[in-house]
RNA sequence: GCCGGGAUGGUGGAAUGGUAGACACACGGGACUCAAAAUCCCGCGAUAGCAAUAUCAUGAGAGUUCGAGUCUCUCUCCCGGCACCA
């Protein structure tokens, strides 16, 4: 009696059985392997077929590693704080806590159908007070070390989300979440001193020889490098004529200093206040400042915008190189937050050049091109702006030096004259950490009139998020928590006097900046993580997720991890050893899957129609893992057919070790497949691993009988991809224990060697014949064979063989 | 503008400098069937040819090489990131 392949019943049965037996919890094993997915934010929309792609990949890897004898940690949890959860709740008129609970249930149900190895006993949720207790604890440690500070500087404010945002939360001047243009708004806020870690965040991407290399894609590393934006330059002092004041200017092009004819300050430069009394056109200047400061960064940095500025009449500074008195301007293209908020302007910078032309500010040149690619006449006559490195002219004692040499020499000279110093600058800013919204971790600080800012004692953590009637954002710069008097008013932990709680909450990224540690020790209420467990499991061996987190989550998590390393809470400097970024699955129409476009494919439907195993195989077979590919439901039938074939093969299994007629070739193919599949899974080349399995199965299908070992080995190779059918067939073969407690097959190098190889004969690089030859045949033997071939003869007839190239077991090329 | 990635049949894609198109989808033909589905077999880059076969063909153009999808240079287009950062 033949039993049909019925994925539905088989999958349900094994999912239940695996959960019951806890087959994945092999943490006692000596070798560990920690494979992690970027945990999802449980949105109301549920999963679409794009989400599981990464989860399936880690699952395949986790299953193979378990079979290879590792104790595998492969957990899952929920990143459930933050704006989207709150907005979903507001829109649907439910409390975020309830919405999150429901959404998690939906997600979990959907994931459950796909058959993952997740250890649900380690499930975590960033909104659980037992979890965010430790998020708050980390914040307190940062605060105690002076790495969290209160600031009143203008910050990015999203008028639609009604909250402050970090620089990382912007996308070309717009809110990453809702697309609104972000305003500048002065607001009291908490900021984390991420810039203090800038250098280490940069250098640990590529540690010097000996350091553990981060196996991340070059593109993600490059994005982080660009974001950190380290530059090495010189800070030059310009004395303000007739005063004690100094203007410090940062430049990477100190070689152009002799051509500096004016200095430009950012409109928010602090020195302006001190100089006010000396500015003769103060009204005009104030008007300009007012106009630019209210502008959003987007407007201010708009591309190709004409440069504007105002001269500070009556103010002059001394160019330290030329000792000339030069004018000072303010202009909105000079950014207050970068460098010193002041630049020296010269003819070798396009922006300065344009501005000078517009306002008739004098210019002069001091750099000459080294080769003649540009006309020196045009540069010298100020017709063209020359920005590149060259040779110095009109630069006194430094004439004749190359730009690179001059930067070194001039900086040395400025240092000697006490008019400058070497300076390293970063584009990255400190992390604006407070949000004026409800759905986040409360910042565990208390404001006391007498004692100032006081930390909530650790024993009182967590500071629980109170229930509140209205959690709508206020838009006043205060979070909705501020309106709950009973929560806000507390006693100062120090003096027991009246005090108020901090009402800002933490950003969405807080909880995800350390969650990988919690999975190691999810129930710990005494410490962030048990040190022994941490040392054993960290770092995460393989971390899989989308590229959109390159400069947000991945930067924040590295920053927190380094801090935790510094306070000796963790044992390593980097949290994620290997990072793999999956490509997006887009809809058939090429767009992102979204309710908005009505092009969402639900994995539940795919599982119902084809089974979880076929769905898993298809997602891995679609194309290269890191590449973005369009979904095509038609393609899933191929995976289903493949599994049907595997199912039918059981009828061919006999007790013979290797089937007689094809003994050698089947054994050879099997071992080649073991090698290919093992290596491909390790390298995330799942599509070619499955292709290899298909080739194997197609070959096995042609056999009359199959040995048990051949079939069982094939099932093992298939099991990471299609766990349910593999487990079912494994048991049908009479095995009592789970296939996942078995052992991953090893290939025998001797059995991969083929006795016969195909050698291609080319004449002048074109294929003319092919022979089967014994492996290792020498050139003479192959040449003799080739020359005897009729086809080859017609192509060399009447010509002389000038050269013969022979590649062992591969190719013979006759050049005539 | 800068940085990174890419372009191969009708489609998704494969290919340590060595037979381009593996594996699959779609399509066409056939077998089975009263019929259909499922399944199985055959074909499937283009052009010429009954065929054997020949020529062309990996975005465009050049180069290196006995031999290039793969290496080098120039260009076009697509995707992603950064961008008045001094």
């Amino acid at each position: 009696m033949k039993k049909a392949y019925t994925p539905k019943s088989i999958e349900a049965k094994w999912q239940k059985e695996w959960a019951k037996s806890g087959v994945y919890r092999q943490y006692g094993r000596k070798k560990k392997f920690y494979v992690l997915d970027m945990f999802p934010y449980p949105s109301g929309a549920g999963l679409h077929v794009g989400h599981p792609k990464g989860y399936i990949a880690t699952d395949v890897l986790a299953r193979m590693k378990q079979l290879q004898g590792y104790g595998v940690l492969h957990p899952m949890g929920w990143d459930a704080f933050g704006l989207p959860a709150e907005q979903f709740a507001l829109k649907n008129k439910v409390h975020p806590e309830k919405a999150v609970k429901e959404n998690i249930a939906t997600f979990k149900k959907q994931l459950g159908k796909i058959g993952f190895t997740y250890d649900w006993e380690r499930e975590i949720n960033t909104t659980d007070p037992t979890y965010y207790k430790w998020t708050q604890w980390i914040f307190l440690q940062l605060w105690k070390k002076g790495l969290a500070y209160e600031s009143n500087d203008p910050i990015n404010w999203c008028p639609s989300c009604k909250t402050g945002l970090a620089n990382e939360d912007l996308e070309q001047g717009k809110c990453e979440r809702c697309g609104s243009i972000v305003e500048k708004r002065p607001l009291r806020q908490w900021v984390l001193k991420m810039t203090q870690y800038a250098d280490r965040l940069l250098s640990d991407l590529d540690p010097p020889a000996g350091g553990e290399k981060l196996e991340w894609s070059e593109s993600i590393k490059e994005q982080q490098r660009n974001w950190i934006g380290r530059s090495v330059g010189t800070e030059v002092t310009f004395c303000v004529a007739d005063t004690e004041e100094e203007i410090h200017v940062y430049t990477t092009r100190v070689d152009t200093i002799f051509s500096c004819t004016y200095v430009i300050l950012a409109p928010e430069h602090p020195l302006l206040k001190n100089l006010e009394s000396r500015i003769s056109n103060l009204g005009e200047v104030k008007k300009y400042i007012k106009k630019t400061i209210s502008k959003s960064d987007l407007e201010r940095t708009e591309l190709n915008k004409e440069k504007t500025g105002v001269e500070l009449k009556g103010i002059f500074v001394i160019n330290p190189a030329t000792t000339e008195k030069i004018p000072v301007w303010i202009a909105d293209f000079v950014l207050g937050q970068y460098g010193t908020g002041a630049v020296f302007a010269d003819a070798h910078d396009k922006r300065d050049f344009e501005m000078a032309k517009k306002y008739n500010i004098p210019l002069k040149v001091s750099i000459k091109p080294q080769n003649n690619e540009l006309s020196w006449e045009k540069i010298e006559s100020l017709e063209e702006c020359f920005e590149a490195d060259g040779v110095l002219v009109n630069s006194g004692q430094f004439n004749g030096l190359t730009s690179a040499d001059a930067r070194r020499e001039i900086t040395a000279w400025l240092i000697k004259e006490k008019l400058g110093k070497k300076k390293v600058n970063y584009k990255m800013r400190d992390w604006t950490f407070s949000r004026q919204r409800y759905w986040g971790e409360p910042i565990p600080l208390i404001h006391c009139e007498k004692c100032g800012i006081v930390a909530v004692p650790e024993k009182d953590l967590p500071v629980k998020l109170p229930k509140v009637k209205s959690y709508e954002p206020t838009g006043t710069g205060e979070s909705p928590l501020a309106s709950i008097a009973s929560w806000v008013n507390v006693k100062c932990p120090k003096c027991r006097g009246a005090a108020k709680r901090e009402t800002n909450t933490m950003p969405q990224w807080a909880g995800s900046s350390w969650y990988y540690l919690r999975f190691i020790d999810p129930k710990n209420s005494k410490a962030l993580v048990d040190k022994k467990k941490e040392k054993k499991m960290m770092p995460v061996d393989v971390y899989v997720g989308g590229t959109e987190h390159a400069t947000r989550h991945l930067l924040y998590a590295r920053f927190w991890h380094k801090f935790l390393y510094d306070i000796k809470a963790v044992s390593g400097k980097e949290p994620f050893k290997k990072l793999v970024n999956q490509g997006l699955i887009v809809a058939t129409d090429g767009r992102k899957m979204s309710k908005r476009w009505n092009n969402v494919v639900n994995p539940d439907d795919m599982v119902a129609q084809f089974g979880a195993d076929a769905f898993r195989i298809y997602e891995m077979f679609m194309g290269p893992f890191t590449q973005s590919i369009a979904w095509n439901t038609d393609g899933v039938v191929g995976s289903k057919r493949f599994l049907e074939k595997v199912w039918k093969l059981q009828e061919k299994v006999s007790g013979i070790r290797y089937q007689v007629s094809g003994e050698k070739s089947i054994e050879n193919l099997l071992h080649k497949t073991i090698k290919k599949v093992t290596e491909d899974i390790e390298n995330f080349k799942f599509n070619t691993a499955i292709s290899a399995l298909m080739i194997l199965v197609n070959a096995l299908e042609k056999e009359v009988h199959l040995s048990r070992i051949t079939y069982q080995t094939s099932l093992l190779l298939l099991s990471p991809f299609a766990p349910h059918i593999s487990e079912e067939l494994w048991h049908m073969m009479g095995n009592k224990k789970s296939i996942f407690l078995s052992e991953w097959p090893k290939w025998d190098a001797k059995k991969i060697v083929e006795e016969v190889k195909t050698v291609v004969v080319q004449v002048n690089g074109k294929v003319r014949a092919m022979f089967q030859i014994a492996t290792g045949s020498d050139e003479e033997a192959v040449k003799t064979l080739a020359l005897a071939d009729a086809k080859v003869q017609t192509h060399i007839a009447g010509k002389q063989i000038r050269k013969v190239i022979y590649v062992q077991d591969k190719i013979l090329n006759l050049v005539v």
Side-chain angles (χ1 to χ4, degrees):
Chain A
M1 255 256 294
K2 283 177 200 167
K3 206 173 133 191
Y5 170 44
T6 51
K8 210 172 182 175
S9 59
I10 291 172
E11 288 168 4
K13 173 175 133 196
W14 288 112
Q15 282 161 12
K16 216 171 131 191
E17 177 60 31
W18 291 331
K20 206 176 89 190
S21 67
V23 64
Y24 312 125
R25 293 183 203 110
Q26 305 297 331
Y27 305 122
R29 291 180 180 178
K30 264 212 176 112
K31 298 187 289 181
K32 71 97 183 180
F33 197 82
Y34 188 178
V35 52
L36 184 65
D37 298 293
M38 289 184 187
F39 68 160
Y41 148 71
S43 78
L47 294 176
H48 62 64
V49 290
H51 292 107
K53 182 175 170 183
Y55 307 155
I56 295 168
T58 54
D59 200 66
V60 169
L61 186 63
R63 287 179 188 273
M64 181 177 83
K65 286 289 170 187
Q66 170 158 345
L67 282 163
Q68 285 176 335
Y70 290 85
V72 176
L73 177 57
H74 185 219
M76 184 42 86
W78 316 103
D79 186 17
F81 265 137
L83 270 177
E86 191 179 311
Q87 279 161 344
F88 175 86
L90 280 170
K91 203 177 140 198
N92 295 285
K93 307 242 183 295
V94 282
H95 193 277
E97 202 178 311
K98 191 163 169 257
V100 160
K101 218 172 161 185
E102 282 164 9
N103 293 346
I104 287 176
T106 311
F107 265 60
K108 222 173 147 177
K109 201 174 151 206
Q110 284 187 294
L111 290 178
K113 287 183 187 167
I114 303 170
F116 294 122
T117 56
Y118 297 133
D119 178 356
W120 290 111
E121 285 186 5
R122 289 177 184 241
E123 175 181 1
I124 59 169
N125 177 342
T126 55
T127 66
D128 185 330
T130 64
Y131 179 89
Y132 69 67
K133 168 181 176 177
W134 296 104
T135 312
Q136 292 174 334
W137 181 86
I138 296 171
F139 177 87
L140 281 185
Q141 308 315 305
L142 285 159
W143 184 74
K144 284 176 185 167
K145 295 281 175 193
L147 290 164
Y149 63 94
E150 221 178 0
S151 156
N152 283 296
D153 289 342
I155 54 156
N156 305 304
W157 173 266
C158 173
S160 155
C161 297
K162 294 178 180 160
T163 182
L165 296 171
N167 281 311
E168 287 79 15
D169 294 322
L170 307 192
E171 246 167 32
Q172 337 214 291
K174 292 181 183 168
C175 172
E176 180 266 332
R177 200 89 253 163
C178 68
S180 314
I181 293 179
V182 167
E183 300 164 355
K184 283 281 166 185
R185 187 160 167 174
L187 199 67
R188 183 190 68 86
Q189 85 247 217
W190 286 95
V191 180
L192 299 188
K193 227 179 242 175
M194 186 154 66
T195 50
Q196 190 160 314
Y197 282 77
D199 238 343
R200 287 163 66 190
L201 286 168
L202 180 71
S203 61
D204 287 349
L205 287 172
D206 294 295
E212 185 113 1
K213 225 180 108 194
L214 276 198
E215 297 168 56
W216 292 23
S217 73
E218 201 45 42
S219 97
I220 297 278
K221 283 192 196 174
E222 191 65 16
Q223 282 184 51
Q224 291 212 345
R225 282 186 208 113
N226 289 340
W227 189 263
I228 295 165
R230 182 179 198 264
S231 69
V232 180
T234 309
E235 196 174 293
V236 187
T237 305
F238 285 71
C239 298
V240 183
D242 311 319
T243 72
E244 298 289 301
E245 304 286 358
E246 291 175 346
I247 293 175
H248 300 278
V249 163
Y250 173 74
T251 180
T252 54
R253 288 298 304 275
V254 77
D255 53 309
T256 64
I257 193 162
F258 283 86
S259 57
C260 161
T261 48
Y262 65 114
V263 163
I264 315 172
L265 304 182
E268 51 272 81
H269 199 283
L271 201 60
L272 287 166
K273 270 241 149 16
N274 304 359
L275 297 174
E276 264 183 13
S277 59
R278 309 177 71 92
I279 300 170
S280 59
N281 58 337
L282 190 61
E284 195 190 351
V285 169
K286 280 200 161 169
K287 211 172 110 189
Y288 183 80
I289 293 173
K290 205 179 158 198
K291 202 175 82 190
T292 50
I293 285 187
S294 66
K295 273 188 197 170
S296 69
D297 265 5
L298 185 70
E299 279 177 285
R300 236 175 105 168
T301 61
E302 207 178 335
L303 210 64
N304 296 330
K305 198 191 62 176
E306 206 182 312
K307 305 278 169 286
T308 62
V310 177
E311 187 178 357
L312 303 179
K313 292 199 175 137
I315 308 279
F316 293 92
V317 294
I318 311 295
N319 179 332
T322 62
T323 68
E324 285 169 335
K325 256 171 98 172
I326 54 174
V328 178
W329 286 65
I330 53 170
D332 66 354
F333 73 84
V334 176
L335 307 170
Q337 321 91 305
Y338 182 75
T340 57
V343 300
F344 75 63
D346 57 77
H348 297 291
D349 180 286
K350 235 183 183 151
R351 299 157 297 180
D352 304 344
F353 185 89
E354 276 171 28
M355 177 157 163
K357 289 244 152 174
K358 182 175 170 191
Y359 293 106
N360 286 316
I361 306 165
L363 284 172
K364 57 183 180 180
V365 294
S366 71
I367 309 287
K368 191 176 172 176
Q370 250 173 325
N371 37 31
N372 295 329
E373 82 232 30
L374 282 162
S375 150
W376 175 234
E377 267 119 78
K378 284 190 177 172
I379 295 165
E380 208 179 11
S381 62
L382 297 167
E383 242 182 274
E384 273 178 15
C385 171
F386 176 64
E387 289 190 290
D389 276 9
V391 179
L392 271 69
V393 293
N394 306 325
S395 298
Q397 50 175 314
F398 302 103
N399 278 340
L401 290 179
T402 62
S403 287
D405 289 341
R407 284 193 281 270
R408 203 181 52 242
E409 298 288 320
I410 294 175
T411 304
W413 174 77
L414 285 168
I415 291 168
K416 208 180 81 205
E417 299 289 319
K418 297 204 174 7
L419 287 166
K421 58 182 179 187
K422 280 188 197 162
K423 185 81 192 285
V424 175
N425 242 311
Y426 300 93
K427 289 189 200 174
M428 188 176 79
R429 318 266 163 79
D430 282 341
W431 178 8
T432 301
F433 196 69
S434 39
R435 299 290 178 273
Q436 292 71 46
R437 302 283 302 213
Y438 170 70
W439 193 235
E441 300 89 343
I443 291 177
L445 293 174
I446 290 168
H447 299 264
C448 169
E449 268 179 42
K450 266 192 230 155
C451 313
I453 294 164
V454 182
V456 172
E458 281 179 25
K459 67 173 170 51
D460 294 341
L461 295 181
V463 175
K464 282 197 192 167
L465 191 59
K467 296 266 185 211
V468 54
K469 275 197 198 110
S470 167
Y471 47 87
E472 299 243 11
T474 62
T476 60
E478 288 266 30
S479 104
L481 294 180
S483 66
I484 313 171
S486 61
W487 185 80
V488 172
N489 295 313
V490 287
K491 277 184 184 157
C492 170
K494 256 191 193 162
C495 69
R496 311 306 297 167
K500 285 185 188 306
R501 283 193 194 279
E502 169 64 50
T503 56
N504 280 318
T505 53
M506 299 189 197
Q508 157 141 55
W509 308 107
S512 59
S513 295
W514 70 281
Y515 76 108
Y516 51 89
L517 291 171
R518 189 66 177 173
F519 282 131
I520 293 168
D521 193 11
K523 306 259 177 343
N524 198 333
S525 60
K526 300 252 157 38
L528 185 72
V529 59
D530 179 84
K531 288 205 169 149
K532 262 194 201 151
K533 290 183 187 169
E534 189 276 335
K535 202 161 181 197
K536 187 185 174 196
M537 287 314 294
M538 286 299 287
V540 175
D541 292 280
V542 177
Y543 193 30
V544 175
T547 54
E548 68 273 19
H549 293 111
T551 54
R552 296 184 187 106
H553 161 60
L554 287 170
L555 200 61
Y556 295 147
R558 291 183 64 221
F559 163 42
W560 276 32
H561 199 81
K562 283 177 191 308
F563 169 71
L564 292 173
Y565 174 77
D566 289 350
I567 62 167
K568 299 194 165 54
V570 298
S571 58
K573 293 178 183 172
E574 287 289 335
F576 315 119
K577 190 165 132 203
K578 177 171 177 168
L579 173 73
V580 185
N581 302 108
Q582 84 260 32
L584 220 60
I585 292 182
V586 296
T588 325
D589 58 14
R591 291 191 288 208
K592 264 191 171 179
M593 282 198 188
S594 154
K595 261 189 189 165
R596 190 170 149 210
W597 305 117
N598 194 29
N599 57 8
V600 175
V601 181
N602 190 323
D604 296 359
D605 298 339
M606 295 300 111
V607 170
Q609 201 178 334
F610 304 100
D613 284 333
F615 174 68
R616 291 168 60 111
I617 295 254
Y618 176 66
E619 290 231 339
M620 292 297 96
F621 183 62
M622 284 176 83
F625 180 69
T626 54
Q627 195 176 301
S628 169
I629 300 177
W631 178 263
N632 176 19
T633 300
D634 284 348
V636 192
V637 299
S639 307
K640 181 74 187 289
R641 281 180 199 150
F642 166 63
L643 293 177
E644 292 277 8
K645 282 185 200 173
V646 174
W647 184 265
K648 277 193 199 143
L649 282 181
Q650 61 175 306
E651 293 160 19
K652 296 178 190 271
V653 177
S654 67
I656 314 161
R657 188 170 161 71
Y658 279 101
Q659 190 266 334
V660 185
S661 73
E663 181 181 324
K664 282 283 177 197
S665 67
I666 286 293
E667 193 179 35
N668 177 266
L669 177 62
L670 184 65
H671 279 262
K672 276 203 282 192
T673 310
I674 297 171
K675 182 171 192 280
K676 176 85 179 148
V677 171
T678 309
E679 291 173 350
D680 279 358
I681 291 177
E682 196 81 50
N683 296 315
F684 279 71
K685 290 165 80 177
F686 306 109
N687 55 331
T688 48
I690 291 168
S691 158
L693 285 170
M694 286 172 168
I695 292 168
L696 175 69
V697 166
N698 289 344
L700 296 183
E701 214 182 11
K702 298 211 162 51
E703 298 294 310
V704 183
H705 296 291
L706 291 178
S707 72
R708 205 186 157 77
I709 185 147
T710 301
Y711 190 56
Q712 292 202 160
T713 304
S714 309
L715 289 179
L716 277 165
L717 293 177
L718 178 67
S719 67
F721 296 100
H724 311 89
I725 189 176
S726 306
E727 182 80 298
E728 177 73 10
L729 288 167
W730 184 257
H731 283 260
M732 285 168 80
M733 297 302 294
N735 295 293
K736 294 280 176 274
K737 268 173 129 181
S738 167
I739 191 171
F740 298 105
L741 295 174
S742 178
E743 221 176 286
W744 187 254
K746 291 192 178 74
W747 71 89
D748 181 343
K750 274 179 255 155
K751 288 180 179 162
I752 289 176
V753 177
E754 286 172 86
E755 292 177 345
V756 175
K757 285 265 166 74
T758 304
V759 167
V760 171
V761 181
Q762 298 182 328
V763 178
N764 286 348
K766 291 201 170 164
V767 181
R768 298 302 176 186
M770 255 179 260
F771 301 108
Q772 301 289 315
I773 53 137
T775 302
S777 298
D778 64 5
E779 181 177 331
E780 271 314 303
V782 178
K783 196 173 151 191
T784 311
L785 260 168
L787 292 177
D789 184 87
K791 225 189 290 170
V792 174
Q793 277 176 2
T794 64
H795 284 94
I796 59 171
K799 290 165 194 161
Q800 211 190 339
I801 296 173
R802 299 212 328 257
K803 206 168 169 186
V804 179
I805 288 114
Y806 179 62
V807 181
Q808 183 86 64
D809 298 333
K810 263 190 182 152
I811 205 158
L812 180 81
N813 192 5
L814 303 169
V815 185
V816 298

